[in-house]
């Protein structure tokens, strides 16, 4: 049985950061045909209705049909400590994050928070997340089981730490390798789930542990690898002291085989020219986490410069260092950071980052993050008049961008009119 979703549609024929906003495709009366959980056709509503008279029609009126949001860097175990006051990165980790992550030794608690996280992200129109779990292997099981129950395409890995963390949150190079490998074999490529090799960051991994992660990645090169890079200047200094032989922060990963396409580096704000050049050459991705970067006081990521240099950039909430589960709020923060850097991002560029850009960082842009035939039907429908303030501004819009931008800047979960996972209405 096929279904025809009718409404406004927004998709992309290219990368608007590199090629300009004109690569976006908007139809004021478009349609998306869904068959067997995939997008079978995208076009004008009248044309598709005529061509597919047997399809069941769902008409969203002025609602905007888009690919669902892809959140390329989150910590699902930090769901319950979002919006914790007053600390910068290292104190925030020690004071809030590590005590909370220790609770994930309890599988029932991990199940509860995994479910809560995915219900919140789905309610915000996010159809794929790439998450860190905790040190506990069961925290990966909890997340993947919750994602599988919802039919989601999802990415996760066991966070590995063997130093500079509380005793009960430390593994060893060998146990990190063994546990990660076992989880990888159990979950990677089962249904829509992918395992991600996950050393937390160089301050909490010895060179031996990073080396073991590099060895595991060489054995499973189709996996992604995620970690953090140059988020705060104090952290960069700390890394310099911990790795006196390294050329820079990136080098602590590079020398252990953790720099190539498929590497996801969260934050990456304070980079040297050498680091930027190596990231570009290797095809690794940088994940911009704007609400986190302002909330924890980390700095202003140069999205436009990195994208125009040819570096893959994804967008993410980084909950609970980030202050919102909403990719709309995240786009707003990316816009504001762009303004502070003198390079405001166009709404088409923001929307692309939250969908195709993040999917491309995850090397999944052929599957998710756009409206195109053959892609999985993970969709969001946006109400462009979800609050009185947004409605009155959008009401005088002269084009789709003016109509969409008030929702980007002021929207939240109230703007999410519908969510589809592989074509089916999401439960949340
Ligand atoms: N660096 C290492 N771990 C973390 C984390 O959990 N959150 C953020 N924002 N940065 C980190
Ligand atoms: Zn993070």
């Amino acid at each position: 049985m096929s279904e025809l979703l009718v409404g406004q549609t927004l998709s992309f024929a290219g990368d608007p950061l590199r090629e300009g906003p004109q690569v976006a495709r908007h139809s004021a009366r478009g349609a998306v045909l869904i068959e067997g959980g995939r997008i079978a056709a995208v076009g004008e509503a009248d044309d598709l209705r005529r061509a597919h008279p047997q399809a069941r029609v769902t008409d969203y009126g002025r609602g905007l049909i888009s690919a669902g949001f892809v959140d390329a860097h989150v910590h699902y175990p930090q769901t319950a400590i979002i919006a914790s006051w007053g600390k910068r990165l290292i104190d925030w980790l020690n004071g809030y994050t590590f005590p909370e992550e220790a609770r994930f030794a309890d599988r029932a608690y991990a199940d509860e928070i995994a479910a809560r996280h995915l219900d919140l992200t789905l309610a915000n129109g996010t159809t794929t997340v790439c998450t860190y779990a905790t040190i506990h292997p069961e925290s990966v099981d909890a997340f993947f089981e919750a994602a599988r129950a919802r039919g989601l395409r999802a990415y996760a890995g066991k966070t590995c730490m063997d130093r500079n963390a509380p005793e009960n949150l430390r593994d060893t190079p060998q146990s990190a390798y063994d546990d990660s490998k076992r989880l990888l074999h159990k979950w990677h490529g089962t249904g829509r789930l992918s395992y991600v090799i996950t050393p937390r960051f160089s301050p909490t991994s010895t060179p031996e542990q990073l080396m073991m992660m590099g060895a595991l990645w060489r054995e499973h090169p189709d996996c992604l690898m995620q970690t953090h890079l140059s988020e705060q200047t104090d952290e960069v200094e700390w890394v310099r002291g911990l790795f006196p032989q390294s050329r820079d922060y990136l080098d602590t990963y590079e020398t252990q085989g953790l720099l190539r396409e498929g590497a996801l580096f969260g934050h990456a704000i304070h980079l040297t020219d050498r680091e930027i050049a190596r990231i570009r050459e290797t095809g690794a991705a940088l994940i911009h986490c704007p609400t986190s970067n302002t909330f924890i006081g980390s700095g202003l990521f140069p999205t436009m410069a990195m994208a125009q240099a040819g570096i893959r950039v994804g967008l993410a909430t980084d909950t609970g260092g980030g202050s919102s589960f909403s990719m709309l709020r995240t786009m707003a923060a990316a816009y504001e950071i762009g303004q502070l850097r003198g390079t405001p991002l166009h709404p088409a560029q923001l929307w692309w980052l939250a969908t195709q850009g993040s999917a491309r960082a995850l090397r999944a842009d052929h599957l998710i993050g756009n409206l195109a035939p053959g892609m999985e039907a993970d969709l969001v429908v946006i109400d462009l008049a979800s609050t009185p303030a947004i409605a009155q501004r959008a009401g005088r819009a002269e084009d789709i961008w003016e109509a969409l931008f008030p929702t980007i800047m002021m929207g939240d979960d109230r703007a999410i009119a519908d969510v589809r996972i592989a074509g089916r209405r999401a439960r949340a």
Side-chain angles (χ1 to χ4, degrees), residues 121-417:
T121 49
L122 275 170
N124 279 286
T126 298
T127 48
T128 286
V129 302
C130 180
T131 189
Y132 292 60
T134 64
I135 197 92
H136 314 94
E138 297 76 13
S139 71
V140 176
D141 293 330
F143 176 80
F144 275 141
E145 286 178 20
R148 182 171 60 190
R150 290 161 179 75
L152 299 171
R153 179 163 292 285
Y155 297 78
K158 179 196 118 72
T159 296
C160 299
M161 299 193 274
D162 67 343
R163 64 168 165 178
N164 293 321
E167 171 72 39
N168 59 343
L169 285 181
R170 287 205 299 262
D171 50 19
T172 68
Q174 189 65 49
S175 75
Y177 174 90
D178 293 342
D179 287 343
S180 300
K181 187 173 178 133
R182 193 168 44 74
L183 289 163
L184 191 160
H185 283 297
K186 179 171 178 185
W187 291 109
H188 188 59
T190 64
R192 305 185 77 196
L193 308 177
S194 299
Y195 190 79
V196 186
I197 296 168
T198 308
R200 182 176 215 119
F201 66 158
S202 290
T204 52
S205 287
T206 58
E208 293 70 35
Q209 178 163 84
L210 295 174
M211 188 180 72
M212 296 294 265
M213 295 291 108
L216 182 61
W217 202 16
R218 266 192 301 282
E219 293 166 35
H220 300 279
D222 65 314
C223 282
L224 300 169
M225 188 287 303
Q226 62 184 347
T227 191
H228 298 85
L229 177 67
S230 296
E231 180 176 359
Q232 294 209 336
T233 49
D234 294 0
E235 172 208 6
V236 177
E237 277 308 307
W238 191 20
V239 169
R240 207 189 307 283
L242 288 169
F243 295 83
Q245 71 289 358
S246 293
R247 286 171 290 185
D248 46 44
Y249 196 158
L250 186 69
D251 198 34
T252 65
Y253 300 125
E254 186 172 358
T255 51
Q256 306 300 352
L258 295 172
L259 175 62
R260 63 170 174 79
E261 195 183 327
L264 309 170
F265 295 107
H267 308 290
I269 300 166
H270 309 283
L271 299 180
T272 64
D273 289 346
R274 190 201 83 85
E275 291 174 303
I276 292 168
R278 287 298 291 145
I279 288 161
R280 179 176 39 224
E281 281 160 25
T282 55
L286 303 184
I287 310 301
H288 180 31
C289 307
T291 72
S292 171
N293 296 162
T294 53
F295 183 76
I296 310 186
S298 302
L300 308 178
F301 179 78
T303 303
M304 191 72 94
M306 292 297 130
Q308 290 186 346
I311 290 175
R312 282 172 203 245
V313 179
L315 189 66
T317 62
D318 188 34
T319 49
S323 56
S324 175
F325 295 95
S326 167
M327 289 297 279
L328 294 170
R329 300 291 315 122
T330 304
M331 286 184 244
Y335 176 76
E336 289 166 349
I337 287 176
Q339 281 286 52
L340 289 167
R341 294 201 64 105
T343 49
L345 296 167
H346 188 276
Q349 296 169 329
L350 294 165
W351 208 265
W352 183 87
L353 283 168
T355 53
Q356 241 334 234
S358 283
R360 186 162 169 265
L362 301 178
R363 295 200 297 181
D365 48 327
H366 57 300
L367 298 171
I368 54 171
N370 203 0
L371 303 182
M375 297 188 79
E376 297 170 349
D378 289 352
L379 309 173
V380 64
V381 182
I382 305 288
D383 174 359
L384 295 174
S386 61
T387 69
I390 293 171
Q392 59 91 37
R393 178 63 186 91
R396 57 161 71 176
E398 303 210 329
D399 63 21
I400 180 61
W401 306 121
E402 239 190 296
L404 184 55
F405 195 53
T407 289
I408 291 176
M409 292 310 299
M410 299 190 283
D412 54 29
D413 54 347
R414 289 170 289 180
I416 308 304

